Amino acid sequence: MSQSLESRLVAMLEVVYPALDCEFLADQLLDAMGLDPEAEPPPAHQNNWSQADVVLITYADTVQRPDEKPLVTLKRFLDDCLRESVTAVHILPFFPYSSDDGFAVMDYLAVNESHGSWEDIEAIARDYKLMADLVINHMSARSRWFENFRKRVGPGKDYFVEGNPKDDLSQVVRPRTSPLLNPVQTEDGERYVWCTFSEDQVDLNFANPEVLIEFAGIIRYYLERGVKIFRLDAVAFLWKEPGTPCIHLQQTHELIKILRLLIEHHTADAVVITETNVPNRENLTYFGNANEAHAIYNFSLPPLLINTLVTGNCRHLKTWLMGMPPAQMGTTYLNFIASHDGIGMRPTDGLLDEDEKQRLINTLESFGGKVSYRRTADGRDQPYELNIALWDALKGTAEGGADHWQLQRFLCAHTIMLALEGIPAFYIHSLLATGNDLDRVEHTGRLRSINRSQWQLERLEATLADPLSHHSKVYRELKRLIAIRRAQPAFHPNATQFTLHLGLQLFGFWRQSLRREQSIFCIHNISAEVQQVALSDINLISTDQWTDLLSGQPIEDLSGTITLKPYQCLWLGVRPPI
C-alpha cells in the first residue's frame, strides 16, 4: 500500500525543518492547497507531453496594438498566427514589478494592469497550456512584504534572508557582480539583506516555513486560473547557509520535491520545470529520482549549438549529446536555443576550454553581442552570459566573419533543436528572426535588452506577409518544420536517441518512437562547405521505404551517397502509419 500524501509530505518536511512539528506544518500546507491528506497520487512516470508539444516563450507585451491591452493582443497573435504551431505559451512574469523586466515581483497575486487582467490570462490558458514563472528565490524591495519587513510587522517581518557582513560568505556562488548583502533601515535599526541578483531583488527566507505556506497558497491560486506549467525561477539558490556555496543545497532539492508533490496532487497533469543556469552535471541533478522537476532546461544546448555553427565543428556538441542520459519516463528536457536572457556561459564549464570560450565570445562580440559578468568566490569577474539576438549570433563564422549563409545557418540550428530528445521551446524573437536591439540597450542601460524588442502588431503582420523579408522566410519555414515534427512519433520527447558518428562537419543522431513503429535519422551539415554522407554509414533497413521528411524526396539507392549543401538538414524516416 502506498504512503498517504500527508505521510510523504511529513517525511520531506522533516529533512528541511527537523526542529519543527512537521505534522502540523504538513496540515497547514495541505489546507493552503485545498488537498485531502489521503489523496491518491497521480500515476507514476506519466508523460504529460507528446511530439505535438511546442512552447512559445514571450513577454506579455512583446506584441502590441494601440488601445488594446497586450495580453489581449498576444491572444490575438497566437490565434491568428500560431494556433497550429504551438501548444504551450510561457508568458514571462506578468505581475506588477519594480525592475528586471518582471523578475522583481511586487505582488504575486495580481496581473500588471498595463498588461491586462486575470481574465485575459485565463482566456489564453483555455486554448494553450499556460506556463508561468514562480519567482520563488526573491521579491521586490518595493513589495508590501518588504515594506512590512522594514516596519518589523507581519506578513513579511521574517520573510527575507538577513546576513551579517562578518559571516563566512567566501564560498557563495554568484550570478552577478553586485554586492551580496545590502544594508536597509528598519524599525529595529540597520539590517543586512541577502540579494543574490540585485539590490531590488531581496531573497526570500524559506528557513521560515511561513514563506513556504504563502507560496502554497500562491501556487493554488495560479492553478485555479489555468496555469499548467510552473517555471521555478532561479530555484538553485533557494536555501542559504553561510560557509557553503548556497547553491544546490539539499534543502533546496527537498523543497522542490515538496512543491512538486503538492502541485501534482492538485492537478495531475501539471508540470514543474526548474530554471538552473549552471554546468550540465549540476543541472541534471534537478530531475532527482523522477521526483523533482518534470523537465529541466537544457542550458548547455544554446552555447554548444551556436559554437558548433560558428566554428563548423560539432565535436563538442556530439560529445555532450553522447553523455546526456535518457530522461526517465515522466521527465524530459526543455530544449531551447534562445530566451529572454543571454546565452549562458556557465553551462559550458567542462565542455569548452577557456580558449574556445573566448573565441566564442570574440565571435559574438564581432556580431554586435555584449558580455555580462559574474563575480567568483575569489573576487574575479568571469563571463556569465552573452547578450545577443540569435539571428545576429548566427550571421557568420568565427574564421570568416559575416557571410551570406545566415538564413540557412539559423534554420539549421532550429532544425536540430526540433529533432532532439525533449520538448522544443521557441523564444518569440527567434521565431520572428528579430535582430539586435541596440537602441533598447541604450534606452534601458541593460545588456539583456538587446534581445527584448517589442513589435507593433500591424507592422509585424505586414513584415510576415512580405515574402522578401527574412522575418517572413524564417517564420514560414519554422512553422513548416514544426508541422513536420508534430506528425512524427519518433520525435516524442522521450523517444530513444543515439548519436551518429559522421565526422565533425555532419551532426547526426537517430530517434526511434516509443512503440518502435518509426525511426528517423537526423543529419545536419553544420558547416559552410558542401558535405557528402554515404547511406551505407547510416545502416538504413533495406526493406523500408525511406524518405527525407523535410523535402519529401524518397531515397531510392540505399548504397549511394547524399550531397548536403551548406547547413542543409535531412530527416530520413519512414512515414508513420496513418
Side-chain angles (χ1 to χ4, degrees), residues 43 99 101 108 135-136 144 225 232 317 403 443 449 457 488:
S99 64
D101 286 346
Y108 291 106
V135 187
I136 196 169
R144 181 174 65 89
R225 273 145 192 82
L232 304 189
L317 184 64
D403 59 25
H443 176 71
S449 297
L457 181 60
Q488 314 308 323

Side-chain angles (χ1 to χ4, degrees), residues 161-392:
V161 179
E162 295 187 38
N164 187 328
K166 296 180 181 179
D167 288 339
D168 176 13
L169 304 176
S170 61
Q171 297 183 51
V172 175
V173 173
R174 296 294 314 288
R176 298 289 185 272
T177 58
S178 56
L180 176 62
L181 299 182
N182 285 286
V184 297
Q185 290 298 323
T186 75
E187 293 295 326
D188 292 342
E190 186 176 68
R191 303 276 180 142
Y192 283 86
V193 293
W194 195 291
C195 300
T196 297
F197 289 88
S198 78
E199 188 174 357
D200 187 45
Q201 295 164 294
V202 188
D203 287 31
L204 289 155
N205 179 22
F206 276 86
N208 175 4
E210 290 297 322
V211 175
L212 179 59
I213 294 168
E214 290 273 16
F215 270 90
I218 292 165
I219 288 168
R220 179 182 179 183
Y221 191 84
Y222 292 176
L223 285 164
E224 291 173 349
R225 273 145 192 82
V227 174
K228 275 293 182 71
I229 308 172
F230 289 81
R231 176 185 183 271
L232 304 189
D233 176 63
V235 71
F237 302 97
L238 204 60
W239 195 270
K240 282 81 178 174
E241 284 186 5
T244 76
C246 297
I247 187 172
H248 312 316
L249 298 186
Q250 184 58 40
Q251 293 92 334
T252 293
H253 286 281
E254 290 298 324
L255 285 166
I256 294 170
K257 293 176 189 175
I258 290 166
L259 295 176
R260 170 170 169 166
L261 188 70
L262 296 172
I263 288 169
E264 66 184 7
H265 274 78
H266 185 286
T267 303
D269 60 346
V271 171
V272 173
I273 299 181
T274 49
E275 188 264 338
T276 47
N277 189 0
V278 295
N280 197 51
R281 288 181 180 274
E282 298 171 29
N283 192 30
L284 290 168
T285 65
Y286 285 86
F287 278 137
N289 185 21
N291 59 353
E292 292 187 38
H294 293 93
I296 62 172
Y297 278 79
N298 225 342
F299 271 107
S300 294
L301 177 60
L304 287 180
L305 182 50
I306 293 168
N307 183 72
T308 293
L309 289 164
V310 300
T311 62
N313 185 318
C314 69
R315 179 167 66 92
H316 295 305
L317 184 64
K318 186 165 69 171
T319 300
W320 165 77
L321 193 67
M322 287 189 294
M324 289 295 282
Q328 292 189 53
M329 292 298 172
T331 66
T332 192
Y333 298 102
L334 188 75
N335 294 325
F336 71 109
I337 317 175
S339 74
H340 62 291
D341 288 339
I343 301 160
M345 292 302 292
R346 286 205 71 212
T348 65
D349 289 355
L351 301 172
L352 300 179
D353 64 33
E354 293 305 312
D355 288 342
E356 290 166 328
K357 290 180 187 179
Q358 191 58 53
R359 187 186 192 194
L360 178 60
I361 291 169
N362 293 343
T363 300
L364 298 199
E365 282 186 315
S366 74
F367 298 156
K370 310 294 181 182
V371 185
S372 295
Y373 292 85
R374 69 181 183 93
R375 186 151 294 155
T376 61
D378 60 5
R380 293 181 297 116
D381 288 349
Q382 290 285 331
Y384 179 68
E385 66 180 20
L386 305 178
N387 303 111
I388 189 170
L390 184 64
W391 173 249
D392 283 306

